[in-house]
Amino acid sequence: MKIQKPVLLLFIAFILLRLIFIIAFPPFTDESLYIRWGQLMVDNPTYHWESIQRFSRQPLAFWLFGLGAILLKNPIIGARLVMLLANIPTFFIILHLTKRMFGERTSLIAAAILALSPLFILTQTLAIMDGFLFTISAVMLFLITSDWKRPVPYQLIGIGICIGVSLWIKTTGLFLLALAITGIIVKAKRQSFIQIIIMSLIPLLIVLPLILRPDFMQLFSEPGSFMLTRTEILHFPISIWTSNTISTIFGLLIYIPLLFTLPMMRKRSNTTLLLWFLIPTIAIILLGNNFRIRYFVLGTIALIPLLAAGISHLFELRNSTRFQIIFWVIYTAYSIYFISATPSFFSLFPKGSGERDYALSWPSGYGIPDMINWIDSHASNASQPMIIAVFDSPGNPSDYLLAQYYFSHKVRILFADFEKLKPVALQIPVYLATRSTLITPDIKSYLDPIKLFHKPATDETVGIYRVTFHQ
């Protein structure tokens, strides 16, 4: 089938913007943790299920990130390319879904929104689990909104498989089960009960190996730590709900500054699309005590056709080619601003917002690429492996260095047990790589700063220190 030129150009933009971001953006702390343990879980059979036992999280995303990191021999690039490959289908899904609902012209607008919006660039490139759920949500929405011509349509099987796979990735895949049930009720009406039963049996079979594990219930402890307790909810935490609502609206306006076009939709009968977005969004607002937009990003796939319909109507009202060109030039510039000046972009969020963590606080990876370059340049000509100690602290920079040098013969990464390091450091150079905020007064006297790398908008640094002891 011949691909139209506008579709080809949009797809090139979709891929190019994400590749640039993959290469330019430093490793976020959650990525470092997933990649490091993913490598270990793939490479060492002893650790195949370690994500459940150590982090109370399903293993599939860890395996995929670890496999990508090992195959490309570059942890961050390999893991992020796995995420990008998993999200390529969303481009064509949103194109065909919107065309089916609103027409060809609107489908091109929807593809442009997906390609250019910072929220989707971020979600579809970072090695975090929510990006996989975004793709699965897109596939399910496509199946739900397609034509069902049989009492037990093949779409039910696809939906069930999607839910089963999602529950191997993250417990919030239960949102997709709720969305599927809602979609089937809207779609099938009288026949919905039997279809829901049939659909639910499929994910049950898929997750059966997890259910039969003795540590299965541990998977529910991790999402529980991010949710309000039953007691807190019964006390009606209005302040938390208000804060989450404001964060949702404000955050979406920054990530997708096209929401003003939503009221311009002429066709308002798209119940499934609205529910697909609202159910996970409202659930996180009411239940979340650690609010992040990525926790309900799986529902935002349904926003895209609605926004495209609003923009299409706006273009009809203006009926000006010049206006459309200016509109897309401005939005493309905003996308490039996100990619090229990411710390500045995240500074648009209020200081209390968790969204700033990607670039402007301790979870950000700024400074780590410079640290890697310094280590590589000093280890390349050394006659023996360079010894780098890290703190046993999850995230950056410890987990990323453990991933980066997992197979290295030039660099050895050790945990910073200073009693055990002392006899080594008295014989050969030993360095500590860490965030400055992890250095406590009792060990500060053992450290001589060699090279410090500053992070944006914070006094924290990541640095290389020489570990010194006096005989």
Side-chain angles (χ1 to χ4, degrees):
M1 183 178 71
K2 186 177 180 181
I3 299 178
Q4 297 177 350
K5 186 176 180 179
V7 173
L8 179 61
L9 292 175
L10 286 170
F11 183 67
I12 291 171
F14 175 90
I15 296 294
L16 185 61
L17 290 170
R18 282 152 181 76
L19 285 177
I20 293 172
F21 192 73
I22 283 172
I23 295 169
F25 189 63
F28 180 59
T29 194
D30 289 3
E31 293 183 283
S32 299
L33 187 149
Y34 301 154
I35 294 168
R36 178 248 171 140
W37 285 97
Q39 280 185 331
L40 197 58
M41 289 165 64
V42 170
D43 184 63
N44 190 332
T46 306
Y47 293 96
H48 275 346
W49 301 92
E50 191 70 10
S51 66
I52 300 177
Q53 297 157 12
R54 185 174 294 266
F55 305 110
S56 302
R57 297 180 185 180
Q58 290 88 329
L60 181 55
F62 285 83
W63 293 337
L64 294 173
F65 293 144
L67 184 62
I70 291 171
L71 290 178
L72 266 72
K73 298 181 180 179
N74 184 312
I76 195 66
I77 301 297
R80 286 178 175 177
L81 284 178
V82 167
M83 181 57 68
L84 176 58
L85 288 172
N87 272 276
I88 285 176
T90 63
F91 178 86
F92 299 98
I93 287 171
I94 205 65
L95 199 68
H96 289 287
L97 173 65
T98 310
K99 182 178 179 180
R100 189 166 63 202
M101 288 186 160
F102 299 106
E104 185 170 358
R105 179 186 177 188
T106 305
S107 72
L108 295 175
I109 296 173
I113 295 171
L114 178 66
L116 298 174
S117 296
L119 177 62
F120 305 127
I121 296 174
L122 183 77
T123 303
Q124 297 181 310
T125 55
L126 294 194
I128 53 178
M129 300 165 188
D130 308 276
F132 289 126
L133 297 186
F134 185 81
T135 296
I136 294 172
S137 178
V139 175
M140 287 179 55
L141 183 60
F142 183 83
L143 293 173
I144 286 282
T145 56
S146 62
D147 292 330
W148 291 19
K149 297 180 179 179
R150 299 179 181 179
V152 183
Y154 72 88
Q155 288 92 336
L156 281 181
I157 298 173
I159 292 166
I161 292 172
C162 285
I163 295 169
V165 172
S166 74
L167 293 174
W168 273 85
I169 294 172
K170 197 173 183 180
T171 307
T172 47
L174 290 171
F175 280 140
L176 294 174
L177 176 61
L179 292 175
I181 292 172
T182 303
I184 291 171
I185 291 173
V186 172
K187 186 86 176 180
K189 297 181 176 63
R190 293 181 180 179
Q191 296 179 342
S192 60
F193 179 75
I194 186 65
Q195 292 186 352
I196 289 171
I197 296 298
I198 294 171
M199 180 273 297
S200 300
L201 288 174
I202 298 171
L204 181 63
L205 291 174
I206 291 174
V207 300
L208 195 59
L210 285 176
I211 295 173
L212 294 177
R213 288 186 58 84
D215 51 10
F216 169 69
M217 292 305 296
Q218 197 167 328
L219 292 174
F220 294 94
S221 63
E222 190 272 336
S225 65
F226 293 92
M227 295 171 59
L228 296 170
T229 65
R230 181 184 176 186
T231 302
E232 288 173 326
I233 293 173
L234 291 176
H235 281 85
F236 293 93
I238 301 299
S239 61
I240 294 176
W241 293 342
T242 302
S243 175
N244 288 349
T245 302
I246 293 172
S247 296
T248 297
I249 297 171
F250 195 81
L252 287 176
L253 284 170
I254 293 176
Y255 277 130
I256 320 173
L258 299 173
L259 296 184
F260 72 93
T261 65
L262 200 55
M264 296 184 181
M265 284 185 57
R266 289 178 298 178
K267 185 178 179 182
R268 302 182 184 275
S269 59
N270 299 286
T271 305
T272 300
L273 292 180
L274 289 171
L275 291 175
W276 205 270
F277 168 67
L278 290 175
I279 288 174
T281 304
I282 293 174
I284 293 297
I285 289 173
L286 296 180
L287 301 177
N289 66 358
N290 184 359
F291 183 87
R292 298 292 186 276
I293 286 180
R294 73 174 187 264
Y295 297 158
F296 65 83
V297 75
L298 58 87
T300 60
I301 188 71
L303 265 183
I304 301 174
L306 299 176
L307 292 174
I311 293 171
S312 179
H313 188 209
L314 175 64
F315 288 168
E316 290 177 7
L317 292 175
R318 293 304 302 258
N319 194 24
S320 168
T321 302
R322 179 180 295 180
F323 174 79
Q324 295 182 33
I325 292 173
I326 293 173
F327 182 95
W328 290 119
V329 166
I330 292 174
Y331 201 59
T332 302
Y334 188 73
S335 177
I336 294 171
Y337 164 64
F338 166 69
I339 292 172
S340 61
T342 307
S344 176
F345 174 87
F346 281 105
S347 69
L348 299 175
F349 289 92
K351 287 192 175 180
S353 171
E355 302 300 324
R356 293 170 64 94
D357 289 351
Y358 292 106
L360 301 178
S361 60
W362 74 264
S364 81
Y366 283 96
I368 291 180
D370 298 315
M371 177 184 282
I372 297 292
N373 290 335
W374 188 93
I375 294 172
D376 288 345
S377 65
H378 286 76
S380 59
N381 298 321
S383 58
Q384 57 187 354
M386 188 176 188
I387 307 298
I388 304 288
V390 296
F391 289 117
D392 190 5
S393 175
N396 287 331
S398 301
D399 277 321
Y400 192 75
L401 292 181
L402 286 161
Q404 177 73 22
Y405 297 109
Y406 182 77
F407 296 106
S408 175
H409 300 292
K410 289 286 187 178
V411 178
R412 285 189 61 201
I413 306 294
L414 305 175
F415 286 116
D417 184 328
F418 280 77
E419 289 299 319
K420 294 181 180 179
L421 285 178
K422 184 174 181 178
V424 180
L426 290 173
Q427 300 296 323
I428 60 174
V430 175
Y431 301 91
L432 175 72
T434 184
R435 305 193 311 268
S436 57
T437 48
L438 294 178
I439 298 175
T440 56
D442 59 312
I443 64 171
K444 192 172 183 179
S445 60
Y446 300 129
L447 304 178
D448 291 330
I450 302 297
K451 189 70 175 178
L452 303 181
F453 306 100
H454 291 271
K455 291 189 173 188
T458 177
D459 294 330
E460 185 184 58
T461 61
V462 291
I464 302 290
Y465 301 81
R466 176 73 181 269
V467 181
T468 58
F469 294 93
H470 300 288
Q471 291 181 321

